[in-house]
Amino acid sequence: MKLKNLSKEGWSGIDVQLKRRADLIPELVNTVKAYAAHERELFEKVTELRNETLAPHTIQEHAATAGALSRNLQKLLLIAEDYPEVKANTNFLELQKELSRVENTLQKARRYYNGTVRELNIKIESFPSNIVAKGLGFEKRTFFSIGNEGDRNLPEINLA
């Protein structure tokens, strides 16, 4: 029961950070949009993904949406690098710092959650606690990973 509650607490920490990140996105998008209005498709995608992160989902769906949002936010920040006016904008710089802090806290929350889920899953699978877990209806929980499977593959390098 303790590990189940700790994993719920861990998920709550992730959820809070996802919401904090979602709250920063509209202002970040509007700041960049003021200088790079022709990137409308990316702004719409980031906004759509931001709204999706606020909707209730399974952990796997949250992970997929959070990963897609992270990749698109990286694109947004890369676009901002092309505009000296954006990089010099005090509001943008503060938003970028806050987003970085949120991402770091989200990473810590994800590690905590995954650690408690690992311990819970081990107890559910190990004898003799698996007998009690099965009798009480405990189920294994899913790890939260916002990484893209494609990002784990090494790039192909052709030196010929």
Side-chain angles (χ1 to χ4, degrees):
M1 190 61 103
K2 176 184 175 185
L3 289 172
K4 183 178 177 183
N5 288 329
L6 287 175
S7 68
K8 285 180 181 180
E9 173 194 17
W11 177 252
S12 175
I14 290 173
D15 195 42
V16 166
Q17 296 310 313
L18 290 174
K19 287 176 183 166
R20 283 185 63 208
R21 180 171 71 171
D23 290 345
L24 291 171
I25 291 172
E27 196 171 347
L28 185 65
V29 166
N30 287 333
T31 301
V32 176
K33 189 187 290 187
Y35 299 97
H38 62 282
E39 298 289 346
R40 194 180 105 238
E41 186 176 313
L42 178 59
F43 299 140
E44 289 173 358
K45 184 66 175 174
V46 168
T47 301
E48 172 190 322
L49 289 168
R50 180 248 181 209
N51 292 337
E52 266 186 62
T53 63
L54 296 174
H57 293 299
T58 65
I59 291 174
Q60 295 93 335
E61 291 168 336
H62 265 299
T65 302
L69 181 57
S70 292
R71 288 186 296 281
N72 281 281
L73 280 174
Q74 287 299 326
K75 289 178 188 176
L76 180 69
L77 295 174
L78 285 173
I79 287 171
E81 289 292 317
D82 291 337
Y83 294 89
E85 307 88 18
V86 176
K87 291 190 321 187
N89 183 301
T90 307
N91 189 39
F92 174 77
L93 294 173
E94 286 303 314
L95 288 168
Q96 194 174 23
K97 284 180 193 174
E98 184 60 25
L99 183 61
S100 179
R101 283 190 287 267
V102 168
E103 292 292 340
N104 287 335
T105 307
L106 179 58
Q107 182 183 50
K108 290 174 189 171
R110 190 178 76 233
R111 282 196 311 261
Y112 175 79
Y113 170 78
N114 285 340
T116 59
V117 166
R118 179 190 66 236
E119 294 301 315
L120 176 64
N121 290 348
I122 288 170
K123 288 282 188 188
I124 289 172
E125 294 174 339
S126 301
F127 183 80
S129 58
N130 63 339
I131 297 169
V132 175
K134 185 177 181 182
L136 294 175
F138 282 74
E139 293 182 5
K140 288 175 54 178
R141 292 193 179 262
T142 304
F143 291 102
F144 184 76
S145 173
I146 59 174
N148 180 5
E149 290 296 322
D151 294 342
R152 294 183 183 157
N153 299 329
L154 294 174
E156 191 174 308
I157 300 173
N158 186 358
L159 299 175

